[in-house]
Amino acid sequence: MKINRSAVSLTVEDVAASAAFFSAHLGFREEMSADGFVSLGHPDAGLNVVLLRRGLEVLPEGFRDQHAAGLILAFTVDDAAGAEARLRAAGAPITMPLRDEPWGERLFQTTDPNGVVVQFVEWPAAPEATPEAGA
């Protein structure tokens, strides 16, 4: 199977509010839209974020009234501290401040107007290979 693109679909109450947040703060751009639907792309993410309004008939019957909850949309970045500072300065709510985990990961979280948690992760650089003595 060849997969051409990837997307995550999130069901939210206010599509326009989430789309504005993802565009203004995260650099996503609208690629397609209709009533109750928007597909956002990002030049660096390799992933589209699709926002669907709760109650749409295109959603499976048992999911129509649910909303994006219990998930974290995570993006890997090169400079988590810089990203957090930029988002904070732009007025985005930082719902988990920058933290360093014992295994080396740095991360922080923001939350969009519909409660979608977006996490930014910086992984430690792999140690450079050093030639063994006498090699």
Side-chain angles (χ1 to χ4, degrees):
M1 168 190 334
K2 179 181 180 222
I3 296 175
N4 295 316
R5 283 184 96 167
S6 297
V8 61
S9 292
L10 305 172
T11 306
V12 297
E13 193 68 39
D14 186 344
V15 170
S18 284
F21 180 88
F22 276 79
S23 296
H25 295 299
L26 308 182
F28 279 82
R29 295 183 188 112
E30 183 179 306
E31 292 185 350
M32 293 183 280
S33 66
D35 182 36
F37 157 84
V38 67
S39 178
L40 303 169
H42 192 285
D44 300 324
L47 171 81
N48 277 43
V49 174
V50 176
L51 301 165
L52 300 168
R53 186 180 61 233
R54 287 179 57 195
L56 287 179
E57 289 185 14
V58 70
L59 294 166
E61 191 172 330
F63 291 91
R64 288 182 190 155
D65 292 321
Q66 294 182 11
H67 58 86
L71 75 96
I72 295 174
L73 185 57
F75 297 106
T76 302
V77 296
D78 293 332
D79 178 13
E84 182 198 30
R86 184 186 63 73
L87 286 170
R88 189 181 297 277
I94 304 302
T95 50
M96 177 191 289
L98 186 67
R99 58 190 283 166
D100 293 312
E101 298 295 350
W103 50 89
E105 174 184 47
R106 299 189 93 189
L107 62 98
F108 74 95
Q109 295 174 351
T110 184
T111 302
D112 92 335
N114 284 291
V116 176
V117 177
V118 182
Q119 179 170 290
F120 294 89
V121 179
E122 178 184 344
W123 291 100
E128 291 185 33
T130 55
E132 293 183 49

